[in-house]
Amino acid sequence: MKQQTLAIHACARNAGENERFVASAPPLETAASFHYRSAADLTAVANGEIDGFVYQRYGNPSAAALQRQIAAIDSAASALACSSGMAAMHIGLLTALRDRPKTILAANVLFGQTFQLLQLMEQQGFLARFADPCDLAQFEAALDQTETGCILIETISNPLLRVPQIDSIAKIASQRGVPVVVDATFAPPVMSRPLESGATAVVHSVTKYLAGHADVLGGIVTCGEADAEYMQELGRHFGANLGPFQCFLAARGIKTLPMRMEEHCRNALLVARALERHPRVAAVHYPGLSRHPDRAVAERQFDRDTQGAPMSGGIVSFEVLDADQAKTFRFMNALQLVVRTLSLGDVHSLITHPATTTHRNIGEKRRQRLGITDNMVRFSVGIEDPDDIVADVVQALESVD
Ligand SMILES: *Cc1c(COP(=O)(O)O)cnc(C)c1O
């Protein structure tokens, strides 16, 4: 079955085999514990001998439904719902690092918080090293420099929107027995499924496209059969579970993920093309544009939409011509529809200034080297009418001097 069908049906099948009906909505079960008539049954469920629920942290109907739904659309054997994307990132890394050397080879451009998580993990005895995953020769050389515990890459980097070849990286990693963790937040399961390309574990911020409506903070880790039990064990004991209400909202949101994502991609391409033509824009970064360095990789790696058009994601970054930080801020403040915020990937069109927010902590020199300039904005294109989005950006560009 295809993603749109799985997204709608996979969370509903929670009734037992003998039930005569299935509920139309995902379960919202807030119970912290489950009470048993028989002490023997409680023991058997608690020990995993028969299916059931005993205590919310060990599993509950709302999390089970969401996990089943995401596992289905992400081609995963198992999924773990976590209290945030960052909690999911931590558990994803620790799942991959089981019995491995404590070195993480990470992409040189990462989501800002992920970079900070790696710095904290370094205080705990881990070591993070960085290489450019879009330069395969450099990445392979870095892999051989020291014993690597696991690799960490993102499907689409932030904010420059580079697209590494996940299948090639998974191949050079598997030749050396190194697990690969992929943060797929920018390209949710309807666009790409890194487990199919050989990734070990995939992390999504549910807060973004998956839940999609800016009303849930959550994360998910997915993995194959071999790592499922260990990942679930980490989930049970770390206790960073996603609460039932957030699970309910996320599962509800995911039912429309495939069509939302198609719309995000279509709108983003329209916005990118309009910006590319605009005289007050110095540069546009979008993997759907023919000038983007990873255009071919994106086209091969990401699914086409139901009309046959390539999907390249919903984020467009661009640089305002001849603008310092103050002028870039004036442009942002002139937007009337597009909102200024730190988030991304929900129904609203959102704009962020990476140099002073998401990438402030990486330091001026590194920012310059990576090309995260003061005149760059990251635009998460929403699913409003594309004419309204483009008109707002154009009027804001034309009103600043
Ligand atoms: C938002 C985000 C995260 C973190 O997710 P939270 O739900 O905010 O904890 C991780 N990676 C990427 C790429 C993100 O965009």
Side-chain angles (χ1 to χ4, degrees):
M1 274 191 279
K2 298 202 173 165
Q3 315 301 116
Q4 176 73 67
T5 313
L6 291 168
I8 289 173
H9 289 274
C11 69
R13 281 187 216 118
N14 63 316
E17 295 263 326
N18 301 325
E19 298 279 348
R20 289 175 190 273
F21 56 84
V22 167
S24 62
L28 175 51
E29 175 53 76
T30 62
S33 61
F34 297 82
H35 302 170
Y36 281 72
R37 273 185 216 99
S38 149
D41 281 355
L42 171 58
T43 305
V45 173
N47 292 329
E49 288 149 22
I50 54 174
D51 280 347
F53 300 106
V54 289
Y55 187 69
Q56 194 184 106
R57 173 161 45 76
Y58 293 152
N60 63 83
S62 298
L66 173 65
Q67 290 170 175
R68 193 165 51 242
Q69 182 190 33
I70 294 188
I73 60 173
D74 212 19
S75 300
S78 185
L80 175 70
C82 303
S83 53
S84 68
M86 292 317 301
M89 174 59 72
H90 194 196
I91 290 181
L93 286 171
L94 294 181
T95 299
L97 286 165
R98 179 192 192 180
D99 298 331
R100 299 282 311 156
K102 288 189 143 191
T103 304
I104 301 160
L105 175 61
N108 59 339
V109 188
L110 284 173
F111 181 70
Q113 294 292 302
T114 303
F115 183 70
Q116 280 175 283
L117 173 67
L118 292 177
Q119 286 185 317
L120 286 172
M121 287 175 75
E122 289 204 308
Q123 293 171 11
Q124 308 286 334
F126 290 90
L127 183 70
R129 291 165 56 244
F130 300 92
D132 180 359
C134 292
D135 179 343
L136 278 178
Q138 186 201 115
F139 207 76
E140 190 166 7
L143 195 53
D144 287 332
Q145 248 168 34
T146 49
E147 261 200 312
T148 302
C150 81
I151 286 171
L152 171 62
I153 54 174
E154 296 174 348
T155 18
I156 303 182
S157 79
N158 173 24
L160 283 155
L161 310 171
R162 297 295 311 268
V163 185
Q165 299 182 47
I166 294 175
D167 52 358
S168 307
I169 290 173
K171 195 165 149 212
I172 58 174
S174 86
Q175 286 162 353
R176 295 158 174 82
V178 177
V180 179
V181 179
V182 178
D183 180 340
T185 300
F186 277 36
V190 287
M191 275 178 69
S192 82
R193 291 159 301 283
L195 292 172
E196 290 176 1
S197 306
T200 311
V202 176
V203 174
H204 301 276
S205 169
V206 168
T207 320
K208 315 293 170 54
Y209 293 109
L210 291 181
H213 295 72
D215 51 11
V216 179
L217 181 80
I220 197 118
V221 196
T222 63
C223 68
E225 198 64 58
D227 301 291
E229 215 174 294
Y230 187 61
M231 176 186 75
Q232 294 294 347
E233 194 183 340
L234 290 176
R236 282 194 296 277
H237 301 304
F238 274 40
N241 311 63
L242 189 58
F245 185 54
Q246 284 78 5
C247 289
F248 167 83
L249 286 175
R252 187 182 201 274
I254 290 169
K255 288 186 177 187
T256 56
L257 170 69
M259 50 189 294
R260 276 190 287 110
M261 203 60 218
E262 290 198 4
E263 204 61 24
H264 281 293
C265 293
R266 265 197 291 277
N267 282 355
L269 183 61
L270 290 170
V271 166
R273 288 201 172 131
L275 288 167
E276 207 180 22
R277 284 191 302 266
H278 201 282
R280 292 199 174 185
V281 173
V284 185
H285 308 273
Y286 184 62
L289 294 177
S290 52
R291 264 195 267 165
H292 190 278
D294 306 318
R295 171 82 207 106
V297 179
E299 196 152 349
R300 185 171 61 81
Q301 197 152 277
F302 300 141
D303 291 351
R304 289 178 171 262
D305 70 13
T306 45
Q307 330 244 307
M311 286 195 278
S312 309
I315 316 283
V316 178
S317 292
F318 62 97
E319 296 166 37
V320 182
L321 187 72
D322 293 333
D324 54 7
Q325 183 188 308
K327 184 171 172 186
T328 310
F329 276 18
R330 285 204 298 284
F331 157 73
M332 291 174 69
N333 292 341
L335 292 161
Q336 288 166 5
L337 168 71
V338 179
V339 295
R340 292 149 292 272
T341 180
L342 286 189
S343 195
L344 59 97
D346 65 59
V347 291
H348 311 88
S349 285
L350 321 163
I351 204 153
T352 308
H353 186 247
T356 54
T357 58
T358 55
H359 291 73
R360 192 177 57 165
N361 288 321
I362 69 171
E364 172 73 24
K365 257 172 75 190
R366 185 148 182 217
R367 226 173 16 246
Q368 292 301 335
R369 192 153 27 88
L370 296 172
I372 304 170
T373 50
D374 284 346
N375 65 342
M376 176 185 286
V377 291
R378 182 190 75 197
F379 187 16
S380 172
V381 182
I383 57 171
E384 301 95 340
D385 188 288
D387 292 344
D388 291 332
I389 304 171
V390 171
D392 191 36
V393 177
V394 167
Q395 70 75 24
L397 281 169
E398 289 172 4
S399 71
V400 286
D401 45 62

